Amino acid sequence: MKISNGVKLLIIANWKCNPITLQKAKRLFNSIKKGIKNLRNSEVVICPPFVYLPYLLKPKPYTLNPKFGAQDCFWGKKGAFTGEISPWMLKELGCQYVILGHSERRQYFNEPDEMINKKIKATLKAGLTPILCVGDKSREAKEDIKELDGQLEKDLKGLKKSSLSKLIVTYEPIWAIGTGNPCGSEEAKLAGQFIKKHFSEKIPILYGGSVDSQNAEDYIKKAGFQGLLIGNASLNPKEFIKIIKTINKD
Ligand code: PGA
């Protein structure tokens, strides 16, 4: 299933803080790589924990499917910032994407929108594509919209039109992430359309939150998203490949 303008669907695998060993990470990666070998209509981006990136990115070239992303990054280039990973380092490694503003970072690490804004700018400057996550805490439609609006306004502050056109935005209702309680496709569609209005350029808008092989197709076909951000199900190669095949059938 190709989206209307022939652009490929984007499938982001967010492994979060998993798996616990490099051996398991390599095994998971190899199974996914094998399963998506002849994929033409989708681009798959694997976002493992930082420490596994150099091992999985070998051997070069890394332009083939799957591509790689990080789950977060620092807003500066280098310096005395203990524990941070700069987007320039990720670029040098061969990464092409960075997830920013994920609700787990906002919630457990108190990341404010102002910080996410700085990270987006640095990521773009380093030549990587930010995958900005925004989401609402409740199911109440009116509140959702207000919350998304506030996040987008602050996260995108000061970005020029040329920068905005390079972004990917993911709608991730917080109550649907890792809960097995996905957002209905109609509800998700409204949020997706709302996000789209913030951009004059056509950018990919994705959905994330309890995606599985049963509901994946609806987010693309019925709700009109250009891809998916997948957490839990991306740790299960069989299920992850099933999701990709479901949305790739013509
Ligand atoms: P989930 O996570 O697929 O486990 O709900 C989605 C996410 O990382 O946002």
Side-chain angles (χ1 to χ4, degrees):
M1 185 197 310
K2 242 184 224 168
I3 54 174
S4 54
N5 54 5
V7 176
K8 288 183 176 187
L9 295 168
L10 259 175
I11 314 295
I12 317 289
N14 179 12
W15 288 2
K16 309 192 181 186
C17 191
N18 298 292
I20 197 72
T21 67
L22 175 60
Q23 199 190 12
K24 284 184 181 164
K26 281 184 177 169
R27 211 180 301 143
L28 174 58
F29 175 69
N30 286 330
S31 309
I32 292 174
K33 200 171 153 192
K34 224 157 107 197
I36 61 166
K37 229 183 197 164
N38 300 315
L39 206 61
R40 254 176 272 132
N41 298 344
S42 295
E43 183 166 306
V44 178
V45 181
I46 308 285
C47 301
F50 288 124
V51 289
Y52 300 143
L53 277 168
Y55 298 97
L56 303 183
L57 272 158
K58 278 192 290 185
K60 294 177 186 179
Y62 26 69
T63 46
L64 304 166
N65 234 349
K67 293 187 173 153
F68 287 90
Q71 298 171 18
D72 184 35
C73 73
F74 179 45
W75 65 75
K77 192 166 187 174
K78 66 184 184 97
F81 301 98
T82 304
E84 291 300 320
I85 310 274
S86 132
W88 280 265
M89 295 172 186
L90 295 168
K91 171 83 177 172
E92 158 72 20
L93 215 55
C95 272
Q96 299 185 35
Y97 297 87
V98 186
I99 297 173
L100 293 170
H102 191 280
S103 68
E104 285 152 15
R105 296 226 48 95
R106 294 178 192 259
Q107 187 183 343
Y108 302 128
F109 307 98
N110 294 324
E111 269 197 22
D113 289 297
E114 292 68 25
M115 191 187 279
I116 295 162
N117 176 259
K118 288 206 270 183
K119 290 182 175 189
I120 293 174
K121 287 175 180 162
T123 298
L124 287 167
K125 231 180 191 173
L128 297 166
T129 303
I131 303 166
L132 170 66
C133 300
V134 291
D136 43 290
K137 282 191 215 79
S138 85
R139 260 178 190 251
E140 296 296 322
K142 274 186 208 146
E143 276 181 40
D144 294 357
I145 301 293
K146 258 195 248 154
E147 219 172 327
L148 291 182
D149 209 14
Q151 285 173 11
L152 285 166
E153 198 178 304
K154 290 182 207 152
D155 296 347
L156 305 177
K157 199 175 170 188
L159 285 173
K160 294 199 184 93
K161 215 174 151 189
S162 56
S163 296
L164 290 172
S165 66
K166 291 182 186 137
L167 293 187
I168 294 168
V169 178
T170 304
Y171 170 58
E172 296 216 310
I174 295 169
W175 42 267
I177 298 175
T179 57
N181 178 26
C183 179
S185 57
E186 270 309 305
E187 222 173 319
K189 184 179 179 177
L190 288 178
Q193 287 169 340
F194 179 79
I195 292 170
K196 210 171 273 173
K197 281 194 207 138
H198 284 74
F199 297 86
S200 51
E201 308 280 322
K202 231 183 174 183
I203 61 152
I205 315 271
L206 318 184
Y207 170 80
S210 295
V211 172
D212 60 26
S213 55
Q214 300 301 308
N215 60 29
E217 202 177 358
D218 284 352
Y219 293 116
I220 308 294
K221 226 180 185 174
K222 292 192 186 156
F225 287 95
Q226 285 87 47
L228 303 165
L229 193 151
I230 304 170
N232 248 329
S234 71
L235 298 170
N236 175 343
K238 263 197 191 152
E239 175 68 357
F240 186 61
I241 291 160
K242 202 168 164 193
I243 293 173
I244 296 172
K245 290 204 168 145
T246 310
I247 62 168
N248 268 273
K249 65 174 196 267
D250 288 310

